[in-house]
Amino acid sequence: MSSSLVFIDSSTSTASHLLPFSRITIPFNGAVSLRRSVGPLNVRPFVLSPLRTLSVNSSNNPSPVINDKSGGEASATVIDGKMVANQIKDEITAEVLKMKEAIGVVPGLAVILVGDRKDSATYVRNKKKACEAVGINSFEVSLPEDSNEQEVIKFISEFNNDPSVHGILVQLPLPSHMDEQNVLNAVDIEKDVDGFHPLNIGRLAMRGRDPLFVPCTPKGCIELLHRYAVEIKGKRAVVIGRSNIVGMPAALLLQREDATVSIVHSRTKNPEEIIKHADIIISAVGQPNMVRGSWLKPGAVVIDVGINPVEDAKSPRGYKLVGDVCYEEACKVASAVTPVPGGVGPMTIAMLLSNTLSSAKRTHNFQ
């Protein structure tokens, strides 16, 4: 039976070798490994519990527990994006301090906000707070809704030429009278920490080429898979959605990890039949509870990028946030799943900070 679906490109503004910090890997098989890219990582010892369940003890974070569902009844592992994002922020804080003490340079991130959308203003505030928390300098420009394109590009040009700014982010969406591509293309590729520059996306798509930056949300999705030791090589992966911001770069990243990748989109016939064969699913379409538990292969790993408000009379706000995947149903079938909220969302800002740190290190040739 054919399913009729409406897809909305996710508007969230993300490969393992591109990350500038060490990585704790939380395996499903009860083994622990530590991959190190730059500098030491100080953590308390890992504690392995019996029955193939792994607990990770950290000084600052709660302990995730992995179940392999070998008994057939265990619920899915919750992939805790908030915990992982906090770990990453701690690692970035240490690297920023190390850089400051060694060469006197502090990474800087500039954010340009156009208009008075409350959601965009909230995102910008959160990014500013995140910068402050890890020791990154933040610069902000707020322009009125009726600003013209050239005014925005003027500020971009100033930040392009400012050596204290290592990353530039233009908060999307822009007002409808502006050409988004013209504005984004004005950002120097060396400071394109959102990873949206055509040359960065082109390099991401080519074998043997590395982009300077990877878009933050897809990068966060892949990092969650790595931190939870989800095997990607040789696996079947399905990306639901083909937006330039999430779906398309997520598919390219999975391909770089040697997965066999399919993309499900608004013109795909019988999408559930394709999704049923997936070992890994990344969904970013903006449709609440679209993916049902019956669509999932038992033991699949689900990364849910969607953040969708739905009516909820029990909530003081009158609504609650849900993902693209029906979480309650997925937990009964999948081996691991990200919650909404608390899954991919916190990772996006963490990856933005990571990209900004990488930019500063590259600019000053600091290892």
Side-chain angles (χ1 to χ4, degrees):
M1 182 177 68
S2 176
S3 296
S4 177
L5 303 174
V6 178
F7 285 69
I8 301 173
D9 283 352
S10 174
S11 60
T12 309
S13 39
T14 149
S16 61
H17 61 284
L18 298 172
L19 296 180
F21 38 73
S22 305
R23 172 177 298 113
I24 298 174
T25 305
I26 311 172
F28 283 83
N29 62 5
V32 176
S33 61
L34 178 64
R35 303 179 186 177
R36 178 175 297 165
S37 295
V38 177
L41 178 65
N42 297 317
V43 295
R44 289 185 180 179
F46 292 91
V47 178
L48 291 176
S49 57
L51 301 178
R52 302 190 62 169
T53 298
L54 172 64
S55 298
V56 181
N57 291 336
S58 171
S59 58
N60 300 314
N61 301 309
S63 301
V65 178
I66 305 291
N67 294 306
D68 70 355
K69 304 188 77 172
S70 57
E73 297 297 328
S75 62
T77 294
V78 176
I79 297 177
D80 191 339
K82 185 175 181 180
M83 181 202 72
V84 173
N86 286 336
Q87 264 180 1
I88 291 170
K89 289 176 184 177
D90 287 345
E91 295 159 9
I92 292 172
T93 300
E95 288 295 313
V96 169
L97 181 60
K98 177 182 174 183
M99 188 175 184
K100 181 180 179 180
E101 291 177 344
I103 62 175
V105 173
V106 176
L109 174 66
V111 180
I112 298 174
L113 174 65
V114 184
D116 55 2
R117 284 178 57 118
K118 291 184 178 179
D119 56 346
S120 291
T122 298
Y123 295 148
V124 169
R125 279 197 305 272
N126 289 341
K127 289 165 185 172
K128 185 175 182 179
K129 289 179 181 178
C131 284
E132 292 173 353
V134 300
I136 290 177
N137 291 331
S138 63
F139 308 85
E140 181 183 340
V141 171
S142 295
L143 298 173
E145 180 84 16
D146 59 358
S147 299
N148 62 51
E149 203 171 290
Q150 288 306 312
E151 288 178 285
V152 180
I153 292 176
K154 172 180 173 289
F155 280 103
I156 292 174
S157 179
E158 290 178 3
F159 286 134
N160 282 340
N161 296 320
D162 187 341
S164 67
V165 173
H166 303 95
I168 302 170
L169 183 148
V170 179
Q171 183 64 44
L172 302 178
L174 290 169
S176 58
H177 65 276
M178 293 187 183
D179 187 322
E180 187 175 285
Q181 286 308 308
N182 281 345
V183 172
L184 294 180
N185 289 350
V187 177
D188 187 334
I189 189 174
E190 298 279 348
K191 299 186 179 185
D192 174 39
V193 289
D194 250 345
F196 294 157
H197 195 285
L199 289 178
N200 273 322
I201 295 298
R203 289 176 177 177
L204 181 62
M206 297 177 69
R207 291 175 62 86
R209 303 285 185 90
D210 284 332
L212 296 180
F213 305 100
V214 175
C216 299
T217 299
K219 182 178 179 180
C221 294
I222 300 300
E223 181 63 10
L224 284 175
L225 294 175
H226 283 301
R227 295 256 173 169
Y228 277 80
V230 176
E231 185 178 1
I232 303 175
K233 184 177 181 179
K235 299 298 182 179
R236 291 184 177 182
V238 169
V239 177
I240 309 175
R242 53 179 174 177
S243 72
N244 289 335
I245 295 172
V246 182
M248 181 270 293
L252 292 173
L253 285 170
L254 287 165
Q255 190 167 279
R256 278 181 167 248
E257 298 278 344
D258 295 322
T260 300
V261 184
S262 298
I263 299 176
V264 169
H265 52 77
S266 57
R267 299 294 184 265
T268 302
K269 295 180 180 180
N270 300 318
E272 67 275 25
E273 294 302 321
I274 298 172
I275 295 168
K276 275 183 180 179
H277 294 288
D279 302 300
I280 299 168
I281 297 158
I282 296 179
S283 183
V285 294
Q287 289 295 302
N289 297 322
M290 183 191 81
V291 179
R292 313 304 302 192
S294 60
W295 294 20
L296 303 177
K297 175 183 178 179
V301 176
V302 179
I303 306 293
D304 192 348
V305 181
I307 302 178
N308 311 292
V310 297
E311 290 185 7
D312 182 8
K314 296 179 181 178
S315 171
R317 298 177 294 181
Y319 69 92
K320 64 179 179 179
L321 298 177
V322 301
D324 296 339
V325 181
C326 183
Y327 183 76
E328 292 77 11
E329 294 179 10
C331 283
K332 298 176 183 177
V333 184
S335 63
V337 61
T338 57
V340 176
V344 175
M347 292 296 292
T348 297
I349 291 182
M351 295 299 98
L352 176 64
L353 301 175
S354 162
N355 282 351
T356 304
L357 174 61
S358 293
S359 179
K361 285 185 170 185
R362 181 164 49 239
T363 298
H364 297 279
N365 196 27
F366 182 76
Q367 300 298 322

